[in-house]
Amino acid sequence: MKVVYSPQFEREYRQLPLTFKKKAEKKEKIFRASPFDRQLKTHKLGGKLSEFRSFSIDYRYRIIFEFADERTVIFHAVGDHSVYRKL
């Protein structure tokens, strides 16, 4: 699976603490193998974000993404729950 990082995602990711980045890399590896693995708690978002999905990095942080096609995913945002208001 190909993962494309949006400019917003890249900016937000750079600002995260190193410990979180390591957790995110581990979860991304799981995501690439199986986007709906139970460990990720992947779910569809609602309301104005209904075209997006989210998966958990840990209890606090998540990544918002969308399927561009069968083989490509776009990561749009990363952060705590406030990340939902940024899209």
Side-chain angles (χ1 to χ4, degrees):
M1 172 178 302
K2 179 180 178 183
V3 176
V4 176
Y5 306 114
S6 74
Q8 178 179 338
F9 178 87
E10 289 178 340
R11 270 192 314 278
E12 292 169 349
Y13 187 82
R14 280 193 302 267
Q15 296 174 3
L16 296 174
L18 182 60
T19 55
F20 173 75
K21 288 179 184 178
K22 289 182 180 187
K23 285 182 186 180
E25 289 170 9
K26 289 178 184 177
K27 294 290 180 133
E28 183 178 339
K29 187 175 181 179
I30 295 167
F31 179 86
R32 286 177 183 264
S34 177
F36 296 97
D37 188 293
R38 288 182 57 206
Q39 296 175 64
L40 300 174
K41 300 177 185 162
T42 303
H43 60 282
K44 189 164 177 52
L45 301 178
K48 69 175 188 162
L49 300 177
S50 62
E51 63 196 63
F52 300 103
R53 294 180 181 269
S54 174
F55 71 88
S56 297
I57 300 302
D58 61 14
Y59 180 73
R60 182 175 176 195
Y61 290 99
R62 57 248 318 97
I63 290 176
I64 297 176
F65 69 95
E66 72 175 314
F67 289 100
D69 59 40
E70 292 179 7
R71 297 182 191 158
T72 308
V73 174
I74 302 170
F75 282 9
H76 287 284
V78 59
D80 60 17
H81 282 95
S82 68
V83 75
Y84 296 121
R85 292 183 292 240
K86 295 178 184 178
L87 290 176

